[in-house]
Each structure stands twice: as C-alpha cells, then as structure tokens.
Amino acid sequence: MGRDETETYLTVPSFFRCPISLDVMKSPVSLCTGVTYDRASIQRWLDGGNNTCPATMQILRTKDFVPNLTLQRLIKTWSDSVGRRAAGSPPRGILTVEEVNESLRRLSLEKDDDEIRLENLSRIVRFAKDSDANREFLWKRNDFAPMLVDIIAAVDGGTRATAKIKLGLLAIMILDTMFKGDNNERDRERLSNLMLTDGGGRCLTALLLAIQRGNLKTKIESVRVLEIISFDTKSKEIISERDGILTELIKSISSETDASLMEACLSFLITISTSKRVRSKLIAEKTITMIKDILLTETTSVAVTEKSLKLLETLSSKREGRSEICGGDAGGRCVEGVVRKLLKVSEKATEHAVTILWCLCYVFREDKRAEETVERCNGVTKLLVVIQSNCSPMVRQMAKDLIKVLKVNTSASALSAYETNTTHITPF
C-alpha cells in the first residue's frame, strides 16, 4: 500500500543530527573537541571504554561534556515550527537509520513488486539528500551501489515498463546526490566498474534513455552520472563508443538549450576529451560547429562560455581540430568567436581564448586564415590589453608571442604610448 500523497517530508538541518545515531538530537552535549552529540549516544560510546571523539578520533583530555543549550533551543524552535512537539519523537517524515535499513531490506526482497520498491526507494532518496552523514552511511554499505546499478540496468524503453523507468530515474538521482561532494577516486572507480561491466550496455542504455526522454532535471542528473563514471581512459572510450551518447550530448550544447544542461554536457565532454580517441570522435561529430554557435551568441552565460572555450582548447590539440576551427563547417567564424570573448567574459575565459589563438597562430601556423581573422576582428588590440592584465604570466607571454607573429610594432615606445591610452580600460 502506497504512502499518503499529501504527506509532507522535511529536510533536517545536518547539524541537528547526532553524528553517531544520525537522529535528531534530543539532548545535545559538546565534548572538549567542540563536536556535539546526543547525550544518550555519546554516553554509550564513553561507557564502552572509548577515550576518543567519534567524529575526529582525537584522544579526549576529559570525558566531561557540556550541554549545548543554544543548539537545543534551535532544535526546539525548528521542531515547534513544523508542529511536532510530541514527546521525543522526530518530526514527521524524518527517517531513522533503522527505517532506512528496513527500506533497503525491502528493496532487496520485493523484487517483483515495483510499487513497494518505488515507495522504499523514494524514502532512500529523501534520506540521501538530507546530509553528508546520511550519504556516507549509505555508501559504506557494500550492497548499496550494486543495488542501484541493478535498478538502473533493469530500465528499458518498453511502454509497459513505467515503474521500472521511475525506479531507474530515482536510482540515477541518488547517484547524482551521492557524488555532490568531494568523493575520492576509489568511489568513482568502484561505481564505474559496476556500471560498465560487459561494456556498460544496459546501464548506458538507461542513461541515454533518461537523457532523451527525461525532464530537464533528469537529463542533468544523468549527464552528471556519466561524468562520474568516466573514470579513466578505458571507461571514457566505452562511453563514447555507445551509439547515441555523444550525438545526444553534442546536440544538447545547442545555444537554444537550457544553460544548466549545456553546462553539464560541456563538463562531461571536457572530462572524456582527455582521451585522444574521444577527441577525434568529438571533432568528427561536429562539436566545433556547436561551440562556434555558442561563442557567437552574446547572451551565453559565463560558465557555459568558459567551458566551451576549455573544450575548444582541448580539441585544438589535434590537427583535424585546428583545421575545423580555421575552416570546415564552422566557416572560419569559430576563430572570430574566440576573439570576441577575449577580455569580455572572465579572466578564465580570456586565458582559454589566448591559448587557443596561440596554438593556431604561433605553435602550428598551419592555416593563415586564423591570423587574418584575429587581425580583422581587432584581436591585436585585445592582445595588447591582455599583456597588461591580471592573467597568468604564461598567458601574458602567449599574448606577446602572438603579437610578434602578427607583425605588430611592439617597440618599447609604441607599447608605452599604447599603455598610456589604455590605463583606464577595465577588462571583463
């Protein structure tokens, strides 16, 4: 039987929870280390013969603790505000560890009843979103990640698989939530290995389906999960070779797409482009043409512009990428877009833009059209300003190299006169 649809679930401030029990504290007390626990939980810890702080593992100078009256008042005010003053019971919808364990047990046992599984997985989603401690508790369970991967792998595009699709989307949401913080590389490697077993066929199919048919939030979560499991060269190549994934994500960086989805897709493409083979595929899929459109759009967000230039910088490391930037389907306008963003967006964007131009016009110089476009679009003037900017010394040197190539008179007197006229110019 499903839960009442009108039931309200609450997010508990993480510092209201005891680090030991993960429940809302009834009587918060602080140790000499400054960490606060529920009195009953820390008392059991100390009575067990421990002489360390559970959270920091520092040896305690004293086992005395002091009531944290300020926190106790905050918890009471919060509890009163949600209308739950019942004796010692947490507000409605707050899950205890015992309840979470029971939900996980039912997820494992009730494999033939998708409605029961949906109810219990929904509870896990709320628990995972609640705090870092909750996410750590879940991830440390050896059965948790494999359970989520199995749920995602069971998704297909059949019209009668609605419940399985919902389960899969919830599992994707949890994985995205689990990796919001600074997870270590071992966690990513573990998840990548689980999801890409046997070439990642079923899991990648489910993620692609979510990107193609999901709402905006689902699309973003799915792209971020793809980035999480792009752990090493092998995983990046497995993902890029899955039919439809690169095509769908490159299509999603259209200038008409929502900025949040564009940013997520660009971030993923930057991650997988560290593989030479993937870079070639991205160039063949006309990614540079899409980036050109972004750079020529005046209303693009700062984050999207920075990531677009970063990806273009990576693709310019290959000969075919440079050829596409200077000509190809982009018609040479890609270089124009790069020059437009110099000094106009952010310091980071300017540094990426200078690096791209340095690669095209100074290091390789394979296509004179790049130099012609920089000169025609007033790029020389902007490069002179870059030399005086707060960009890194390396980027300022690149700008000087470019000016030499472009045969600009950079004598001391000329630069001095130029600096006099640009003293009050403020980039960005």
Side-chain angles (χ1 to χ4, degrees):
M1 186 174 179
R3 65 177 175 84
D4 182 355
E5 292 299 328
T6 63
E7 182 176 359
T8 300
Y9 290 89
L10 305 167
T11 298
V12 185
S14 58
F15 58 93
F16 286 3
R17 290 186 180 276
C18 172
I20 298 174
S21 68
L22 302 181
D23 294 331
V24 176
M25 290 182 277
K26 300 172 185 176
S27 178
V29 294
S30 300
L31 292 180
C32 59
T33 57
V35 181
T36 300
Y37 302 90
D38 196 28
R39 183 187 295 270
S41 297
I42 194 60
Q43 191 65 63
R44 281 195 299 272
W45 170 265
L46 297 175
D47 289 347
N50 297 293
N51 66 343
T52 57
C53 172
T56 66
M57 296 311 294
Q58 293 177 345
I59 296 177
L60 299 172
R61 300 190 308 273
T62 173
K63 293 186 178 182
D64 295 335
F65 42 71
V66 179
N68 191 329
L69 300 179
T70 299
L71 184 56
Q72 189 167 25
R73 284 194 295 270
L74 287 172
I75 292 174
K76 185 179 185 305
T77 300
W78 172 79
S79 181
D80 290 348
S81 72
V82 296
R84 302 297 296 177
R85 301 182 181 86
S89 65
R92 188 182 189 184
I94 299 172
L95 301 179
T96 64
V97 171
E98 291 75 16
E99 289 172 325
V100 169
N101 285 333
E102 175 60 19
S103 289
L104 289 170
R105 188 185 71 82
R106 298 193 72 185
L107 271 172
S108 179
L109 294 177
E110 303 287 351
K111 292 190 175 180
D112 295 327
D113 193 327
D114 287 338
E115 290 303 320
I116 290 178
R117 302 191 84 201
L118 273 171
E119 180 180 347
N120 283 280
L121 193 57
S122 297
R123 290 159 65 87
I124 302 302
V125 170
R126 294 191 296 275
F127 182 77
K129 287 186 173 183
D130 206 35
S131 70
D132 291 337
N134 290 4
R135 291 187 282 276
E136 184 179 0
F137 166 79
L138 289 169
W139 195 252
K140 283 183 176 179
R141 290 182 57 111
N142 291 330
D143 62 341
F144 184 63
M147 182 185 299
L148 294 179
V149 172
D150 286 345
I151 290 171
I152 293 170
V155 173
D156 61 47
T159 56
R160 297 183 180 180
T162 304
K164 281 187 170 51
I165 291 174
K166 289 180 180 178
L167 281 166
L169 296 183
L170 284 175
I172 291 169
M173 183 188 300
I174 293 175
L175 286 179
D176 177 52
T177 301
M178 298 294 291
F179 283 81
K180 291 287 190 190
D182 297 324
N183 298 75
N184 61 46
E185 292 298 285
R186 187 176 299 177
D187 290 338
R188 289 186 62 201
E189 182 179 17
R190 178 188 172 208
L191 182 62
S192 180
N193 289 338
L194 284 169
M195 295 191 76
L196 299 180
T197 299
D198 300 326
R202 293 188 299 163
C203 284
L204 292 181
T205 296
L207 288 167
L208 179 58
L209 186 67
I211 294 168
Q212 291 172 329
R213 303 187 190 178
N215 58 30
L216 177 62
K217 184 171 179 292
T218 294
K219 291 175 187 285
I220 293 172
E221 290 166 348
S222 301
V223 173
R224 287 198 293 232
V225 170
L226 279 174
E227 183 174 358
I228 291 164
I229 62 175
S230 300
F231 172 74
D232 55 13
T233 299
K234 181 180 178 181
S235 61
K236 291 168 185 175
E237 290 177 356
I238 288 173
I239 293 168
S240 69
E241 288 166 6
R242 171 63 174 83
D243 288 343
I245 286 184
L246 285 188
T247 301
E248 191 66 33
L249 295 188
I250 293 169
K251 184 172 69 176
S252 295
I253 63 172
S254 161
S255 56
E256 298 178 359
T257 304
D258 176 87
S260 298
L261 178 57
M262 288 177 71
E263 188 176 349
C265 291
L266 286 164
S267 181
F268 165 73
L269 294 175
I270 290 168
T271 296
I272 65 169
S273 66
T274 56
S275 161
K276 291 182 179 179
R277 186 188 301 181
V278 175
R279 285 203 292 274
S280 294
K281 290 179 71 69
L282 289 174
I283 294 165
E285 291 278 353
K286 303 303 180 184
T287 306
I288 290 172
T289 299
M290 302 298 288
I291 293 175
K292 177 260 298 181
D293 292 339
I294 293 172
L295 297 180
L296 293 174
T297 302
E298 296 297 328
T299 56
T300 307
S301 72
V302 171
V304 168
T305 302
E306 289 176 349
K307 290 182 186 298
S308 298
L309 288 166
K310 172 62 178 175
L311 181 56
L312 191 64
E313 178 186 326
T314 303
L315 299 181
S316 69
S317 66
K318 293 191 72 69
R319 185 186 184 93
E320 61 265 38
R322 296 190 294 274
S323 177
E324 189 70 21
I325 293 170
C326 295
D329 290 344
R333 296 208 66 197
C334 193
V335 177
E336 178 185 338
V338 173
V339 175
R340 282 192 187 186
K341 299 306 178 185
L342 279 170
L343 302 168
K344 194 173 183 180
V345 180
S346 67
E347 185 176 308
K348 184 183 293 186
T350 292
E351 293 194 349
H352 289 315
V354 171
T355 304
I356 294 166
L357 297 177
W358 183 76
C359 183
L360 297 174
C361 303
Y362 182 80
V363 178
F364 294 100
R365 304 191 69 183
E366 298 153 331
D367 194 324
K368 293 295 184 182
R369 286 177 297 178
E371 297 173 32
E372 294 168 2
T373 302
V374 173
E375 294 174 349
R376 176 171 52 80
C377 296
N378 200 32
V380 173
T381 301
K382 291 185 175 184
L383 288 168
L384 284 166
V385 177
V386 169
I387 293 173
Q388 306 169 64
S389 72
N390 292 324
C391 290
S392 69
M394 182 178 70
V395 170
R396 293 201 299 272
Q397 182 58 51
M398 288 180 182
K400 292 178 181 178
D401 292 340
L402 281 165
I403 290 171
K404 289 176 183 178
V405 167
L406 296 168
K407 298 181 174 62
V408 173
N409 182 2
T410 55
S411 66
S413 58
L415 272 178
S416 176
Y418 181 81
E419 289 170 3
T420 301
N421 292 328
T422 58
T423 302
H424 302 294
I425 294 178
T426 303
F428 321 124

